[in-house]
């Protein structure tokens, strides 16, 4: 994602732009790095909203507070959370998967997540709850290792951002059973949404946003807001992001901050359904 956007940003800033991956913990490591970086405009990060729910469920260990330690710069686009299964199990729908779990040993309840305490984990558990199934999360250090284990049949199911699974679904290494979207994603038109499955309450659109260290001066927030908007909203970049399953919908810093606050309130409601107490 960041590498697709970086060249366009560099053209607009007229200075070198370096992309540094911070894998693990579903993006929490990147947020922690931003929290510790100097608020001078030299460092920004691209984070998926699915990571940020960890602040509600594990405040003692989650390394940063998205509402206080970071400054929103803008949203790049939206994406759905996807529930996927390994091709090693013979199921093609969520109903078939739920029955497969019920008919077998407890090991079938295992499903992979890119990190513990992310929205992807809770979405999978809420979805399974609709079918009378209880799932047990198995955390991985990112979607790469999880996809590898899914492809080799070492774990039967998984959940994460759709962008991480598009290529694997198309190549037949795993199968996306449903997404959290309201409408089918154009890159995977064969995959139904939770709304189609009869669970509109679980419909949730996630997003990728750029953030900066807390305390970034307003003039630098405005400069980054403008640069990012211009960088993403070009045909070549939009098409690259579309191939990842991202619907480009660029917003400014103020709208990103509003969306973040609204999502925190929605997450509180969903977590309550699972009986999970959240931090204030």
């Amino acid at each position: 994602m960041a590498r697709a956007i970086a060249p366009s940003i560099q053209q607009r800033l007229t200075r070198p732009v370096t992309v540094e991956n911070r894998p693990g913990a579903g993006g929490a490591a990147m947020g922690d790095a931003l929290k510790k970086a100097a608020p001078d405009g030299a460092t920004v990060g691209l984070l998926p909203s699915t990571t940020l729910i960890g602040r509600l469920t594990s405040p003692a260990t989650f390394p940063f507070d998205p509402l206080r330690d970071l400054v929103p710069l803008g949203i790049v686009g939206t994406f759905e959370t996807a529930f996927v299964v390994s091709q090693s199990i013979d199921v093609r729908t969520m109903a078939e998967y739920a029955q497969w779990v019920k008919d077998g040993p407890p090991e079938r309840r295992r499903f992979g997540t890119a990190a513990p305490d992310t929205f992807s984990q809770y979405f999978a558990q809420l979805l399974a709850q609709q079918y009378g199934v209880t799932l047990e999360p198995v955390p991985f250090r990112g979607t790469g290792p999880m996809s590898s284990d899914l492809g080799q049949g070492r774990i039967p199911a998984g959940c994460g951002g759709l962008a991480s699974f598009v290529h694997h679904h198309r190549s037949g290494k795993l199968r996306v059973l449903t997404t959290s979207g309201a409408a089918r994603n154009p890159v995977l038109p064969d995959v139904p949404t939770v709304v189609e499955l009869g669970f509109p309450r679980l419909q949730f659109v996630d997003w990728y946003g750029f953030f900066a260290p807390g305390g970034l001066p307003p003039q630098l927030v405005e400069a980054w807001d403008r640069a990012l908007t211009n960088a993403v909203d070009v045909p070549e970049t939009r098409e690259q992001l579309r191939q990842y399953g991202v619907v480009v919908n660029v917003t400014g810093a103020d709208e990103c901050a509003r969306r973040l606050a609204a999502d925190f309130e929605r997450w509180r409601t969903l977590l309550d359904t699972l009986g999970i107490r959240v931090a204030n």
Side-chain angles (χ1 to χ4, degrees):
M1 286 283 299
R3 295 186 188 282
I5 303 170
S8 188
I9 295 177
Q10 181 167 304
Q11 290 178 4
R12 283 148 184 82
L13 295 181
T14 64
R15 65 181 185 185
V17 173
T18 302
V19 177
E20 181 181 346
N21 290 330
R22 290 295 179 104
M30 185 195 313
D32 187 41
L34 283 177
K35 173 184 175 180
K36 297 172 181 176
D40 56 6
T43 305
V44 300
L46 182 65
L47 284 167
S49 61
T50 48
T51 296
L52 308 180
I53 195 174
R55 183 64 185 183
L56 290 175
T57 57
S58 305
T61 57
F62 196 75
F64 67 98
D65 185 338
L67 299 175
R68 298 176 182 175
D69 297 331
L70 306 183
V71 174
L73 299 176
I75 292 174
V76 173
T78 59
F79 67 99
E80 297 90 33
T81 293
F83 189 85
V84 306
V85 294
S86 170
Q87 288 283 15
S88 64
I89 66 174
D90 188 23
V91 301
R92 296 186 175 276
T93 67
M94 278 302 304
E96 290 180 0
Y97 166 75
Q99 193 60 51
W100 178 82
V101 173
K102 293 176 182 178
D103 292 343
E107 292 77 22
R108 291 188 177 186
R109 296 199 297 262
R110 299 166 65 246
F111 78 99
T113 66
D117 301 322
T118 61
F119 175 73
S120 300
Q121 172 185 323
Y122 301 122
F123 172 76
Q125 292 174 309
L126 285 165
L127 180 60
Q129 190 180 76
Q130 311 310 305
Y131 292 92
V133 173
T134 300
L135 296 183
E136 298 174 356
V138 178
F140 285 81
R141 290 184 62 82
T143 54
M146 179 175 66
S147 295
S148 176
D149 274 15
L150 281 165
Q152 297 180 49
R154 287 196 286 264
I155 192 166
C159 197
L162 178 62
S164 300
F165 304 125
V166 170
H167 174 71
H168 300 299
H169 177 89
R170 287 173 168 171
S171 65
K173 293 182 179 179
L174 53 80
R175 182 178 297 116
V176 180
L177 296 186
T178 190
T179 74
S180 65
R184 297 193 180 198
N185 193 293
V187 298
L188 292 182
D190 58 323
V191 176
T193 70
V194 287
V195 175
E196 293 178 75
L197 297 183
F199 313 121
R201 188 174 61 87
L202 299 185
Q203 186 269 323
F204 205 100
V205 177
D206 306 297
W207 45 274
Y208 287 104
F210 273 103
F211 292 84
L216 189 70
Q219 63 269 26
L220 290 179
V221 173
E222 182 180 350
W224 266 110
D225 185 342
R226 184 169 55 253
L228 293 170
T229 298
N230 293 334
V232 174
D233 200 20
V234 296
E236 296 81 3
T237 304
R238 292 175 70 95
E239 178 57 24
Q240 287 188 63
L241 296 178
R242 191 187 73 82
Q243 291 300 319
Y244 285 114
V246 175
V247 178
V248 177
N249 183 17
V250 184
T251 73
D254 290 343
E255 177 58 29
C256 184
R258 285 192 291 269
R259 179 69 177 271
L260 178 61
D263 279 1
F264 262 73
E265 292 307 309
R266 175 87 187 279
W267 287 332
R268 291 178 190 275
T269 301
L270 290 174
L271 290 170
D272 184 64
T273 303
L274 285 173
I276 297 174
R277 296 186 62 182
V278 300
N280 293 323

